[in-house]
Amino acid sequence: MASPNRKTILLDFEKPLAELESRIDQIRQLAEENSVDVSDQIHQLEARATQLRQEIFSTLSPSQRLQLARHPRRPSTLDYIQAMSEEWIELHGDRSGSDDPALVGGIGRLAGQPVVILGHQKGRDTKDNVARNFGMAAPGGYRKAMRLMEHANHFGMPIITFIDTPGAWAGVDAEKLGQGEAIAYNLREMFRLDVPIICTVIGEGGSGGALGIGVGERLLMLEHSVYTVASPEACAAILWKDASKAAQAAQALKITATDLKELGIIDRIVPEPEGGAHANPIKAAEQLKQALLECLEELMSLSNQQRREMRYQKFRQMGIFAEELA
């Protein structure tokens, strides 16, 4: 997983930081060419850059976090698998004539523990995105995921899922092939599996497409990922007939990891490196792996019945509210 060139793809709020870092590089280069000692000035500018980076990424709005979650250079499911697993064998097909490239999965080892890992897979460029259908899985993708989870359950291997999709594919063909049924079947069946299930939102968790592989005892979110019932653009178009109000919708939807942790939807926020996961993919993978191993150790100590009950109660408690008398 190579480090991306951050100069090629910059979000609006990253530009002041990029300009300062570029200025530091120019001063350092000029100093070397002219044999001038400017180490004190460089240290001051680097300290300012560090401070600016912290200020920017600690005060991001929900819409800015959404931009980070959709960043073209953000690590994908296969990136994390490559960085975290000692062994990896991808498995293909739903055994009904389909092999959806938008949802990948297989068998790997995590710190020596055999696991089944699966998740949505977006492309890195336009051509790859078209081939992967922008991470929007078809019914065959969810059926492939269920086949792999059944395999994990049969052989006693924990299941780890990575969620990163704008939503399930909503095309006419997807509806003809039973998109709703495929996702609903996964939701029901995941509740009965005996093995540990840990789900992580690594980028954009959108609607039923995310839920189709999102039922587990533990739901984690990377710090700058988002999880939502509908995209802010779709929400704005529905509520205000104006997609330009997406930022307002993002604020109201409570899509960030911090909001969802407070609401009890997710269990843990996994910190990202300064500048987001795309700034240092290797470190992001190390931090996610550590979080997964800690959750796995806890869940492996429980009985099958305890894990199923934990899973059930987790989702039963979502949406509880209290009414105040006028």
Side-chain angles (χ1 to χ4, degrees):
M1 185 165 50
S3 297
N5 182 358
R6 296 184 62 220
K7 292 182 180 180
T8 59
I9 302 176
L10 286 174
L11 303 176
D12 289 341
F13 57 85
E14 292 180 302
K15 289 179 180 178
L17 178 61
E19 290 171 359
L20 179 55
E21 290 176 339
S22 177
R23 182 180 165 197
I24 293 171
D25 290 339
Q26 290 173 358
I27 292 173
R28 185 181 286 112
Q29 183 177 352
L30 287 171
E32 291 176 355
E33 291 173 354
N34 295 280
S35 301
V36 178
D37 183 11
V38 292
S39 55
D40 290 340
Q41 292 90 333
I42 292 291
H43 288 322
Q44 290 176 2
L45 288 172
E46 287 178 338
R48 173 56 188 153
T50 299
Q51 180 184 3
L52 180 59
R53 185 180 297 106
Q54 292 173 343
E55 289 174 357
I56 290 173
F57 286 91
S58 63
T59 58
L60 293 175
S61 67
S63 60
Q64 288 172 330
R65 291 188 188 274
L66 179 63
Q67 291 179 59
L68 274 179
R70 293 172 173 173
H71 199 289
R73 298 294 182 185
R74 192 169 178 85
S76 67
T77 290
L78 288 176
D79 290 330
Y80 283 118
I81 290 173
Q82 178 185 348
M84 293 191 302
S85 60
E86 296 90 48
E87 296 179 61
W88 166 250
I89 302 173
E90 184 173 354
L91 301 177
H92 296 273
D94 66 348
R95 298 301 183 264
S96 297
S98 173
D99 181 33
D100 187 359
L103 207 157
V104 299
I107 303 171
R109 287 186 186 272
L110 200 63
Q113 169 68 48
V115 294
V116 164
I117 310 174
L118 53 98
H120 303 100
Q121 180 63 33
K122 292 181 178 179
R124 188 63 73 201
D125 53 33
T126 302
K127 182 179 178 181
D128 196 18
N129 256 321
V130 171
R132 299 281 183 183
N133 200 29
F134 297 85
M136 296 184 291
Y142 291 103
R143 292 179 179 126
K144 175 169 68 172
M146 195 66 241
R147 179 179 76 81
L148 297 181
M149 288 188 278
E150 291 279 12
H151 181 87
N153 197 57
H154 180 78
F155 290 100
M157 292 184 287
I159 298 167
I160 294 172
T161 76
F162 294 137
I163 298 167
D164 186 17
T165 179
W169 182 36
V172 173
D173 287 343
E175 297 304 320
K176 287 181 179 179
L177 294 171
Q179 184 70 284
E181 184 274 338
I183 293 174
Y185 183 82
N186 280 21
L187 294 177
R188 185 188 72 186
E189 294 301 300
M190 289 181 79
F191 278 105
R192 69 163 181 81
L193 299 179
D194 293 326
V195 295
I197 306 177
I198 305 171
C199 309
T200 305
V201 183
I202 61 172
E204 186 178 9
S207 193
L211 284 176
I213 58 169
V215 176
E217 302 93 276
R218 290 288 178 264
L219 177 57
L220 285 56
M221 280 184 72
L222 292 184
E223 181 182 0
H224 299 309
S225 60
V226 297
Y227 197 26
T228 175
V229 67
S231 71
E233 294 86 353
C235 178
I238 293 169
L239 292 182
W240 299 295
K241 313 297 183 189
D242 184 0
S244 66
K245 293 187 177 180
Q248 184 178 343
Q251 184 72 39
L253 282 169
K254 306 295 183 185
I255 63 176
T256 68
T258 302
D259 287 330
L260 294 169
K261 182 70 169 64
E262 292 177 357
L263 291 169
I265 303 299
I266 69 168
D267 302 294
R268 179 169 177 170
I269 300 173
V270 181
E272 295 186 26
E274 283 189 0
H278 65 282
N280 192 339
I282 298 299
K283 185 176 180 181
E286 290 172 353
Q287 293 179 169
L288 176 54
K289 181 178 180 179
Q290 182 60 36
L292 291 172
L293 289 174
E294 290 172 5
C295 291
L296 197 55
E297 182 180 8
E298 174 196 356
L299 296 175
M300 291 288 282
S301 66
L302 304 177
S303 67
N304 295 346
Q305 183 177 353
Q306 285 175 319
R307 285 193 289 264
R308 289 195 304 269
E309 182 64 19
M310 179 184 293
R311 210 176 297 151
Y312 175 77
Q313 291 299 333
K314 173 179 176 58
F315 282 81
R316 286 293 296 173
Q317 291 169 13
M318 290 183 184
I320 293 177
F321 64 94
E323 293 184 352
E324 293 184 2
L325 296 176

